[in-house]
Amino acid sequence: MQDRETKLAQKPKVLIVDDDNEIVRGASIRLRAAGYDVIAAHDGEAGYNAALQHHPDAIILDLRMPVMDGWTMLATLHKHEETKAIPAVVLSANVVDREGGKAMDLGASCFLEKPYEAKRLVKAIEFVMGESAKKRSNQAGSKREMHH
Amino acid sequence: MAGEQCIVVIIDDDPGDAELLRRQLDEIPTLNMDFVHYKDTSEALLELTQRDAYVIFLDYQLGKVTGSDVLGWIRGSGDLRPIIVLTGQGDESIAAELMRSGADDYLVKDDITPTGLRRAIANARAQFLRRRGEEHRRTLLDELEATKVSLEKKNRRLSELYKTAHEFVDNVSHEFRTPLTVIKEFASIVRDGLAGDVTDEQREYLDIVNNRVDDLSIMVDDMLDISKLEAGILGVCRRLCRVDEIVERVRTTLMQKASASKISLDIAVDDDLPAVFCDPEKIGRVMINLVVNSLKFSRESERVELWARQNPAESQIIIGVSDNGPGIAPENVRSIFERFKQVGGDVRSSTKGFGLGLNIAKELVHINFGDIKVESEVGKGSTFSFTVPTADPSAFILRYLDRIKQFQNSPVFASLLTARVDEGQPSFLIEDVGQFLQHEVRPNDLVFHVKPNAWLLVVASNDQDTEVVINRIQRALTETNRNRFDDGLPPIAMSTKGVWRIEGQNTEFVQRFKEECHIVEICNA
């Protein structure tokens, strides 16, 4: 049930990228109930394009996906100025050695294993959005020196 | 060769010449010869393969065919025996051609002297023996090469199979998790009332679904763990920690499982237990696996207890799980920790797993240098208990040396290395460096955090050269930092304190280790 009293534009926007339609659907129901606006894409390339077009406040993405996998999508997001600051939560069934670590290294803010606890998913989104808001205010406050 | 009967074969279409040769050969005193004369070449060729021949004399002029032709046929059949060709006066020009065709020597018929004859025979025999030796060597080399090729092929096949098996487990795990995620999510969406009102009864049923999905996920984890244990790639992250800290980590999970089975779980951890040195996540897994096993075999309203006690004499803590279940028959006790073993018919069929839980528990206890056992009485219940070494460096290193000596390829050398970063690093980076080092050494090597900015590494291997280890770690550091954009790991300075051969009491090594090892406690959130 949609909360029609809240204006859509005021809701934080979350992009979900997963090739499994039902996972997208389940997570969307959860996030909408928690007060988020949800958009979806089903592969990494579509996900990246959706991020460019809709400027979501956070992205949830899978790792093993067709067309462009999650790692490549993370690296692509990180490479581009318009998308690099969007916090990303990796939601993956890949639990083998450091695959999650590799995703974190590529700029993901948080890694959740499938199957996940619904509460943890919502908490993870709250957490990464909070972190990214902190980062933004820090950056605005102090001029950052570049070392490269 | 005196005394030994040797057969001399003469192939000559002229019986007079053959007889003459026979007489000349008879004059050689050291040879005791029997003669076989073939007038007919084709008969000779037919029979030659079946007869012994110390040396073969072959006339060059054989009517329709020449000695060259016959030589070609004999050698072509793979016959290596010594052949001396007899030529007529003035035929010497063909000598070179004959030698090329495989003759060992040649004699001009009218110039034969006993000395020349003896020399020719000796020469031909020597050539033959050399040829046979070469042939033998070649055969051996060919066989060796064939064996090598076949082994390499088998090896490749094995590593392919190995890789396939791992990829398979990895994929199965991935493919299982995806539907489990959907089941779990939609059951909880209904349960939480997001799709309409739910009654208490419906909520309870959905909790059962949720619980069983979690069980299935654990089984998938088990499969992955076994596969990694088998490959020796299960990472171990040992550190100083406390038993109650490990228990707290798994308490919620354990309580949920017990209450789902309607069994009461008591947790009794002695106060003032000394700190242990282990991988807390792995020891937590052992506790979960043992409790889950006991819950499986207990009936509703029975009790299961998880306890932990001191064993100061052995510098270890004993952790156990006791139940009042059906117990295990003595004949089954021994096999209980084997993989895929599920003994006893009392297990509720719905709670059967793969029979991996206890086997994994055993492996995880062993990689933390402890032991596991079970005491059980049929009709009364079972107690599974395992040990975890305390963080006393002297006792720990002795236990460690004792364990690695029992390995299949027991390492020959133990080295002490130090790793150091600049002082004043933020604590999260220090923690990351510690984890990085743990990940880069092999599961049986040790990493101790000995100063706020320094670690002591114990590396056991068959190689005295510690540079190999240092280089590997430095390469891995570069690799890791390539993927860390904002907060790379600081440079790690490494040096070798010494290398000792593992033998006897290892007094020197142990002494040096004790001087270097003062484990610091990492602050835990």
Side-chain angles (χ1 to χ4, degrees):
Chain A
M1 263 183 255
Q2 292 274 335
D3 182 359
R4 292 192 180 278
E5 272 152 24
T6 318
K7 275 189 205 160
L8 275 175
Q10 286 174 337
K11 288 187 189 174
K13 205 187 292 169
V14 177
L15 166 65
I16 304 181
V17 192
D18 197 308
D19 57 329
D20 191 304
N21 212 7
E22 275 151 3
I23 286 187
V24 169
R25 210 172 145 199
S28 304
I29 295 170
R30 236 343 125 181
L31 289 165
R32 287 201 181 104
Y36 294 92
D37 195 9
V38 182
I39 41 177
H42 294 94
D43 65 69
E45 197 180 285
Y48 173 67
N49 290 332
L52 276 181
Q53 197 189 331
H54 299 285
H55 302 286
D57 298 284
I59 299 172
I60 296 173
L61 75 156
D62 189 16
L63 289 178
R64 286 195 196 181
M65 289 188 289
V67 190
M68 180 196 276
D69 66 27
W71 294 286
T72 316
M73 181 180 157
L74 277 170
T76 314
L77 285 171
H78 209 267
K79 243 190 289 177
H80 291 89
E81 211 47 51
E82 310 101 289
T83 51
K84 70 189 283 186
I86 308 172
V89 174
V90 169
L91 182 61
S92 169
N94 281 57
V95 291
V96 174
D97 295 312
R98 303 183 104 188
E99 291 200 335
K102 212 167 106 196
M104 300 289 279
D105 290 341
L106 284 171
S109 311
C110 185
F111 182 85
L112 276 185
E113 257 178 37
K114 285 178 186 172
Y116 59 92
E117 291 291 338
K119 282 181 209 130
R120 299 243 310 142
L121 180 70
V122 176
K123 265 194 191 154
I125 288 294
E126 279 168 13
F127 171 74
V128 298
M129 283 177 51
E131 288 291 300
S132 101
K134 255 191 258 167
K135 227 188 226 172
R136 272 200 306 275
S137 68
N138 279 351
Q139 271 172 13
S142 67
K143 206 159 193 182
R144 217 167 137 232
E145 257 188 61
M146 301 298 285
H147 293 282
H148 301 291
Chain B
M1 292 290 145
E4 197 180 316
Q5 192 76 17
C6 12
I7 291 166
V8 174
V9 174
I10 302 170
I11 306 171
D12 197 328
D13 55 351
D14 184 337
D17 282 357
E19 180 56 24
L20 191 65
L21 179 64
R22 198 183 66 80
R23 279 193 204 149
Q24 284 166 317
L25 284 166
D26 267 339
E27 281 169 35
I28 301 173
T30 51
L31 285 178
N32 178 13
M33 287 173 282
D34 256 354
F35 296 94
V36 177
H37 172 225
Y38 291 107
K39 199 168 162 271
D40 181 57
T41 314
S42 33
E43 191 193 344
L45 286 173
L46 268 175
E47 286 187 21
L48 208 55
T49 49
Q50 279 128 53
R51 71 168 54 253
D52 283 338
Y54 182 71
V55 63
I56 298 164
F57 286 93
L58 174 65
D59 184 22
Y60 185 74
Q61 299 296 342
L62 287 166
K64 284 180 213 154
V65 295
T66 68
S68 273
D69 299 328
V70 180
L71 254 179
W73 294 327
I74 295 177
R75 292 297 185 232
S77 74
D79 193 333
L80 301 174
R81 288 176 292 185
I83 301 175
I84 299 168
V85 181
L86 303 164
T87 61
Q89 194 74 31
D91 285 349
E92 283 170 52
S93 55
I94 54 166
E97 177 209 325
L98 284 169
M99 301 303 274
R100 267 201 307 279
S101 312
D104 293 304
D105 210 341
Y106 73 95
L107 292 167
V108 179
K109 270 186 181 175
D110 296 336
D111 292 346
I112 295 174
T113 62
T115 318
L117 199 51
R118 206 165 50 225
R119 199 184 296 133
I121 293 175
N123 179 33
R125 287 293 299 174
Q127 298 272 23
F128 159 66
L129 291 174
R130 183 188 51 75
R131 233 179 2 247
R132 200 174 59 174
E134 260 172 21
E135 175 72 16
H136 189 57
R137 217 168 26 243
R138 204 164 32 239
T139 315
L140 284 180
L141 281 175
D142 284 352
E143 277 171 19
L144 206 65
E145 182 60 27
T147 314
K148 191 178 139 221
V149 167
S150 125
L151 275 178
E152 276 170 354
K153 211 167 131 192
K154 278 183 189 153
N155 217 344
R156 263 201 307 278
R157 177 91 189 109
L158 272 178
S159 42
E160 268 164 29
L161 276 175
Y162 190 71
K163 200 166 151 251
T164 312
H166 278 276
E167 280 169 4
F168 178 73
V169 172
D170 184 17
N171 282 332
V172 165
S173 143
H174 187 270
E175 294 313 304
F176 271 46
R177 276 166 204 279
T178 306
L180 285 174
T181 309
V182 175
I183 296 170
K184 194 175 166 74
E185 178 63 289
F186 280 89
S188 79
I189 284 171
V190 178
R191 188 217 172 272
D192 293 347
L194 297 182
D197 293 341
V198 240
T199 66
D200 286 346
E201 194 182 2
Q202 286 166 343
R203 195 168 296 127
E204 189 199 335
Y205 297 163
L206 289 165
D207 280 339
I208 295 174
V209 172
N210 198 37
N211 223 309
R212 282 306 164 83
V213 169
D214 290 346
D215 283 353
L216 203 50
S217 313
I218 289 180
M219 281 190 240
V220 173
D221 284 342
D222 282 354
M223 261 174 37
L224 260 183
D225 273 1
I226 280 285
S227 139
K228 284 197 253 176
L229 274 166
E230 200 87 321
I233 52 168
L234 188 72
V236 195
C237 208
R238 301 183 197 92
R239 62 175 177 83
L240 188 102
C241 54
R242 316 199 70 87
V243 174
D244 46 8
E245 168 200 335
I246 306 174
V247 170
E248 282 320 306
R249 221 184 242 251
V250 294
R251 185 187 284 272
T252 321
T253 311
L254 294 181
M255 286 303 180
Q256 270 172 6
K257 299 213 165 291
S259 82
S261 314
K262 298 199 171 61
I263 291 164
S264 69
L265 173 68
D266 298 330
I267 298 183
V269 178
D270 278 4
D271 292 334
D272 303 325
L273 289 178
V276 287
F277 190 74
C278 66
D279 181 331
E281 195 256 321
K282 305 282 185 297
I283 295 300
R285 278 297 298 278
V286 178
M287 291 178 185
I288 292 176
N289 284 10
L290 293 186
V291 169
V292 165
N293 179 69
S294 283
L295 291 175
K296 240 186 232 180
F297 288 89
S298 297
R299 277 174 292 270
E300 267 184 31
S301 79
E302 281 185 342
R303 284 181 55 241
V304 168
E305 189 186 10
L306 168 68
W307 48 266
R309 299 183 193 129
Q310 275 209 58
N311 181 206
E314 307 275 342
S315 302
Q316 60 190 13
I317 304 274
I318 307 174
I319 300 171
V321 175
S322 305
D323 64 53
N324 309 114
I328 307 149
E331 65 268 24
N332 289 330
V333 165
R334 233 211 302 231
S335 59
I336 193 109
F337 293 109
E338 282 172 26
R339 200 170 299 174
F340 305 120
K341 268 282 149 72
Q342 282 206 327
V343 299
D346 283 38
V347 59
R348 303 194 300 274
S349 62
S350 60
T351 53
K352 259 188 183 168
F354 289 143
L356 289 173
L358 291 179
N359 178 260
I360 290 170
K362 182 184 82 174
E363 302 286 349
L364 295 181
V365 167
H366 284 176
I367 56 172
N368 280 295
F369 307 114
D371 289 304
I372 191 165
K373 66 171 181 182
V374 59
E375 285 160 302
S376 186
E377 206 178 318
V378 174
K380 294 233 167 127
S382 308
T383 293
F384 287 83
S385 62
F386 65 98
T387 58
V388 185
T390 58
D392 165 12
S394 339
F396 191 90
I397 201 69
L398 290 176
R399 178 187 287 256
Y400 170 76
L401 287 169
D402 198 46
R403 289 298 164 103
I404 59 169
K405 274 184 207 156
Q406 292 163 19
F407 290 167
Q408 218 168 19
N409 280 313
S410 60
V412 186
F413 299 103
S415 327
L416 287 180
L417 282 78
T418 53
R420 188 179 297 274
V421 296
D422 283 345
E423 280 178 49
Q425 304 284 346
S427 68
F428 77 92
L429 271 189
I430 292 290
E431 212 170 293
D432 283 0
V433 171
Q435 275 179 11
F436 164 79
L437 289 170
Q438 297 262 14
H439 192 274
E440 294 312 322
V441 300
R442 278 156 307 182
N444 288 313
D445 294 334
L446 302 174
V447 176
F448 297 93
H449 196 179
V450 288
K451 276 193 192 133
N453 62 329
W455 294 261
L456 179 68
L457 278 61
V458 177
V459 176
S461 75
N462 290 319
D463 195 345
Q464 280 197 70
D465 188 5
T466 52
E467 283 301 308
V468 178
V469 182
I470 293 176
N471 290 341
R472 192 181 70 219
I473 292 177
Q474 295 299 353
R475 266 200 312 277
L477 181 66
T478 315
E479 180 70 18
T480 302
N481 274 346
R482 268 201 318 157
N483 287 333
R484 291 174 68 118
F485 301 104
D486 306 327
D487 54 346
L489 296 177
I492 303 177
M494 297 194 66
S495 62
T496 306
K497 291 280 166 187
V499 182
W500 292 266
R501 187 173 277 281
I502 302 173
E503 59 192 354
Q505 299 295 307
N506 302 295
T507 327
E508 241 184 80
F509 166 71
V510 172
Q511 187 55 39
R512 188 62 191 273
F513 172 80
K514 281 195 231 167
E515 285 162 19
E516 300 282 342
C517 189
H518 305 281
I519 312 175
V520 292
E521 190 149 7
I522 326 171
C523 43
N524 290 302

